[in-house]
Amino acid sequence: MTSESRAPWRVSLVVMLAVGVAAALFAASLRYRVEQRNRRVAVVVDFAEAARLATASGVPIADTLFHLKRVGVTGVAVTEDTVQDLVDTGRADVSASGAMTVLQLRDAATFERVSANLRMRGMTVAHETTPSDIPTVLLWAAAPRSGSAEQAAGYVRFLASYPAVRTVGVGLPPDAVATVRSAGLTCVARISNFAGATRMTVTQVLSAIRASGADTVICTGTEVLGHYGAAKEAAEALESAGVLWGQVEFGKQKGDDRLARALDSRYVRVHSISEGEMGTLSEDDAVDRFVRAARERNIRMIYVRLVTFAGSDSVERNVRYIGRIVKGMERGGLIRPGDPKPFEATGAPVWAFGLAGMAAGSLAAWLALSVLPCAGRRWLWWALLAPLVCAAAACAGESGRRVVALLAAIAAPTLACLPLVRMIHSEDATERRQPLLHAVRSLIEATLVTSLGIATVVGLLASRPFMLRTTQFLGIKAAHALPIAIIAILLVTGLPDPGEALDKVRARMASRAQAFLGQPVLVWAMALGLIILVALMLAVARTGNEPGVGVSGMELRARALLDAALPIRPRTKEFLLGHPAWILAIGLAAMGRRRWAAPLAVIAAIGQVSVLNTFCHIHTPLVLSAMRVAVGLALGAALGAMALAIVARLARGRAEPSPSSTG
């Protein structure tokens, strides 16, 4: 089929792509609006740590909280008392014998608080008398597995062993809550899940917390409220009580994903560092962790662990430490300290998702027509059908949109790299007079093609669950590996020419593949191939938010330097690998040295893949992702230009004849 006969179908694909990208940009604009309306991040410290700091430094707790508030702290987390806390602090005595535990409360106020909180957690009340006719109250759990309890004149008797009841929550300590509120700070409650949690009991507990002055809860322990089948009830209780739930990032608490879905993503994400991990981090590392979490991952509460409790200046050291965190957060004016709130729903309509899916199908169809040795009208009809199928899948729901977004993430960067493949295989051996200018222009054009995929992916996933990582982009490693693999194969087989006969295309591709596989392997070529292979494997292994390969200490220091020197740190795969390799590959091909350009083209593909992958992290604000790509593009082009200038000068100095084309 001639190129002229394909023209109407190409026009159709272009029209569908343009309409789909426009709809995707509309959905992306709705997400951008939501992000701009939610720019406050709560800075919270732990009350127990603040009290410990006050005791160690000799500064009253009220003054300690005042100093912390002065540098940006907005709230204090207060953990609920447990039976063991009452015993450890001398507010209660315990005696246990087998399956019987007796708790004696020291004062009436604590006794009333404990009694009320046990009732809130589902215990029913019955009145009986003791053998000495003293009025008593018998409490027992509604669920048999939670044991039973009896109280009389300041006693609570549990029909369970002490290890089974020592972690039972008995409410927030009122003195701690009062201290926090008098300091003008918000109170964040830390409570644990409890046996027999129902909508009624959880609502009672949360309503009491709300009445005490706390409007946000973070779950302690290994479970969230409502674990073991009551996530929906816990979500309804949170909304009924008007309490906000804070999901701890990387906390891996049981049931947090189900509670997040039950809340329809109406919660805030919290970043914290465990006490054990704080002992292994330097102050600079801790500051960097908190700053990046707040700026880059839609975290709306940072639970800051204090850095030291020793020395007469420990309060001032912690004040400086938190001040550095707040200053880093505020850099660029993207976010600022304040009371957190959930992200709004984007409100992106289904029709926008459908048209964005049509754009993804158009990209995939264009790629198929460009790289596959197919001819005939039936192939073109299939190509026109693909956008419609993808549009239907995107309208079908979240799962369909994830699959279609993956398709766009594979197709767009691959399409962007095809001109590089064509140039390397071009039969025209004429050298260009301005290889650097041509290389830079080619890199910009490729990034614009990749941007079509970026707009499509961002539009398809423009909803609150993706912004909060309740749901994530599907197949991040496949989106990295497949475009690079396709480009590597095409560098060997070449691309079909428009209108070329099918048999001729297949024969030429097979011949090139056989010639490549039949070439003798030199030591330097083997070494270069191994280096490229290892680089590609590392690039793929380190993708995602929880990569399988860690970051070296040297790279962490380099990242810190880039963070300090640039408005936003670009991705290493772009500015240090992909973009410089693109400039070198195009420049060498333009200079007639195509044999050296081919291996560089494989590395160059990493840059375009990484550019699109940057926007697949939907929990990263759009503005930040755009800044990261722009800085990486400028820095990578500059490094590539310097490398190309050095190579060109060396080539002129050696006066080597241009190697023959690999075409």
Side-chain angles (χ1 to χ4, degrees), residues 280-293:
T280 66
L281 296 177
S282 67
E283 182 176 325
D284 290 341
D285 291 338
V287 170
D288 181 64
R289 277 272 301 269
F290 285 118
V291 170
R292 285 192 293 111

Side-chain angles (χ1 to χ4, degrees), residues 118-140:
L118 291 177
R119 290 187 182 95
M120 291 176 195
R121 282 162 171 76
M123 296 183 179
T124 55
V125 180
H127 295 278
E128 295 185 359
T129 58
T130 64
S132 57
D133 294 330
I134 300 175
T136 64
V137 177
L138 180 67
L139 301 177
W140 68 91

Side-chain angles (χ1 to χ4, degrees), residues 122-448:
M123 296 183 179
T124 55
V125 180
H127 295 278
E128 295 185 359
T129 58
T130 64
S132 57
D133 294 330
I134 300 175
T136 64
V137 177
L138 180 67
L139 301 177
W140 68 91
R145 63 182 177 183
S146 62
S148 58
E150 180 185 348
Q151 64 180 24
Y155 287 85
V156 176
R157 182 173 297 164
F158 296 92
L159 299 181
S161 64
Y162 180 60
V165 301
R166 63 186 179 85
T167 59
V168 172
V170 292
L172 299 179
D175 53 345
V177 175
T179 301
V180 171
R181 297 189 66 183
S182 65
L185 296 167
T186 60
C187 181
V188 177
R190 298 188 67 207
I191 64 174
S192 61
N193 192 27
F194 54 91
T198 64
R199 178 179 178 180
M200 182 184 70
T201 57
V202 175
T203 300
Q204 290 175 164
V205 171
L206 294 175
S207 296
I209 287 173
R210 188 75 175 87
S212 69
D215 56 8
T216 304
V217 297
I218 299 175
C219 297
T220 62
T222 60
E223 301 175 0
V224 299
L225 284 173
H227 183 49
Y228 293 123
K232 181 180 178 181
E233 290 78 4
E236 293 172 348
L238 284 163
E239 295 186 352
S240 175
V243 175
L244 190 61
W245 174 54
Q247 182 195 48
V248 181
E249 184 186 34
F250 309 134
K252 301 185 185 301
Q253 291 178 302
K254 297 177 182 178
D256 65 344
D257 55 340
R258 288 185 290 274
L259 182 56
R261 287 194 293 269
L263 284 168
D264 192 23
S265 302
R266 292 185 294 272
Y267 60 91
V268 294
R269 301 180 71 218
V270 181
H271 182 79
S272 185
I273 303 176
S274 67
E275 293 182 72
E277 192 176 2
M278 279 294 295
T280 66
L281 296 177
S282 67
E283 182 176 325
D284 290 341
D285 291 338
V287 170
D288 181 64
R289 277 272 301 269
F290 285 118
V291 170
R292 285 192 293 111
R295 284 170 56 88
E296 300 181 10
R297 298 199 296 276
N298 278 344
I299 296 295
R300 286 301 172 262
M301 179 182 292
I302 55 172
Y303 194 127
V304 180
R305 295 290 183 180
L306 300 184
V307 72
T308 184
F309 302 94
S312 58
D313 64 340
S314 55
V315 172
E316 184 59 32
R317 286 186 61 186
N318 280 287
V319 165
R320 289 197 301 268
Y321 158 66
I322 294 178
R324 291 178 60 197
I325 294 174
V326 173
K327 184 178 179 181
M329 283 170 40
E330 293 178 327
R331 188 177 61 175
L334 296 177
I335 55 174
R336 56 187 180 274
D339 293 334
K341 64 178 182 179
F343 280 92
E344 303 170 7
T346 61
V350 174
W351 62 261
F353 293 144
L355 292 178
M358 185 174 69
S362 300
L363 289 170
W366 199 294
L367 176 63
L369 292 176
S370 300
V371 305
L372 296 178
C374 52
R377 290 184 178 273
R378 62 189 180 96
W379 290 102
L380 297 177
W381 283 114
W382 279 112
L384 290 179
L385 183 61
L388 303 180
V389 172
C390 290
C395 291
E398 195 173 84
S399 298
R401 288 191 283 132
R402 295 174 72 198
V403 173
V404 174
L406 174 60
L407 188 64
I410 294 171
T414 309
L415 277 170
C417 294
L418 293 187
L420 181 55
V421 176
R422 289 194 182 95
M423 186 171 185
I424 291 174
H425 281 283
S426 174
E427 300 293 338
D428 182 10
T430 304
E431 296 186 17
R432 297 179 183 268
R433 293 184 177 181
Q434 295 180 315
L436 176 57
L437 181 62
H438 178 63
V440 172
R441 184 172 64 247
S442 174
L443 175 60
I444 295 173
E445 291 172 352
T447 306
L448 290 175

